[in-house]
Amino acid sequence: MNKVATIAGSDASGGAGLEADLKTFAEYGVYGLAAVTLVATMDPDREWAHSVFPVERDSLEAQLKTIFSGVGVDAAKTGMLGSSYAVELAAWYLGEFKIERYVLDPVMVCKGAGEALNPELNELVADLLLPLALVATPNLFEAGQLAGMETPTTVDEMKRAAVRIFERGAKNVFIKGGSKLPGQQSAIDIFYDGKDFNQVEGALVDTTWTHGAGCTTAAAIAAGLALGLDPYESVSRAKKFITYSLKGGFALNRWVGPGNPSAWRKGFN
Ligand code: PXL
C-alpha cells in the first residue's frame, strides 16, 4: 500500500486542509497519514470569518515522528503551516528522512480570508521548503510572493515567476492560474521543470464552490507521485481530478462551498 503524509491544518468545515487531502488520498487508493499543524474554524456569527489555532510544537513534533520515523511514507505534502516552528519541523523531517516526493503547497491565503495569513512566514517557507520540493504548487498570488514580483496576470508573467521559483530550489513548479487569469476561455496552469514549459489547460468550471481547490490539487499530485507517476503525469492527472471535483462542488451554506473529491467517480478519464 502506498502511503502519503499531509502536514497541514485541519479545516473544521471539511472542504480544505487535511480533510480535503485525506479524501483525495482515499480516491487515489493511497493510504493517508496526517500531522495537524493548526485548527482552522469559521464563525457563522461573523460572516464565516476564519480563526486559526496553532497546535503546540511538542504535539506537532510527536506527530511527525509517528509518521516519518514510525510508519514511513512514499510521498508527502505540506499545506497551511501557520508558525515558524511548523515550517522548521516540516523541513527537518522531510530532509532527515529524505522524502523525495514532496509537494509544497505554499498556502498563503484562504478563500474568504482575503489577505495573506502569515506574511512573515513566506520567506522562511521559500528558504527551507522550496529546496526540498519535487513540486511546488503556488496559485497566482503565492507565485508572485515566492518570485518576489507582482501577482502574475498573463501567461508570460506566470512563466517568469516559475523560473524564479525554480531558481529558489523547487525542482518542478506548477503555477495554478485556474479561473483567476484575466481574459481566458479555459483554466490555464503552467508547469515548468527547469527546461520546458507546459501549459496545462482544463475546462473553466463555472462555480463559486471552490473551497479547498488548492489543497485537493496538491494532495492529488502527491498521491500520483506516491503511485509512481512522474511529476508532469501527476500534475496532469491532478488537473483532471480537480476539474471533476469542482464540477461536483456544492453550497455548504451561504458563505462557502467545497469541491467534491469523489466526483471523478461519475466519469474519470
Ligand atoms: O484553502 C486554504 C486552506 C488550507 N488549509 C486550511 C484551511 C484553508 C482555507 O480555509 O482552512 C486548514
Side-chain angles (χ1 to χ4, degrees), residues 9-11 16-17 38 40 42 50 80 107 109-110 211-212 215:
S10 166
D11 169 12
L38 55 87
M42 298 86 197
H50 291 49
M80 198 188 288
V107 181
V109 272
C110 246
H211 179 62
C215 307

Side-chain angles (χ1 to χ4, degrees), residues 20-43:
D21 296 343
L22 293 175
K23 290 171 196 177
T24 301
F25 296 162
E27 296 299 329
Y28 267 72
V30 298
Y31 181 85
L33 300 89
V36 190
T37 55
L38 55 87
V39 175
T41 60
M42 298 86 197
D43 187 349

Side-chain angles (χ1 to χ4, degrees), residues 7-9 35-39 52-65 81-87 89-90 93:
I7 306 170
V36 190
T37 55
L38 55 87
V39 175
V52 165
F53 301 88
V55 161
E56 281 176 17
R57 188 194 167 98
D58 287 356
S59 162
L60 180 57
E61 174 139 38
Q63 296 177 68
L64 293 168
K65 191 172 175 194
L81 295 166
S83 66
S84 53
Y85 60 78
V87 178
L89 283 171
Y93 275 88

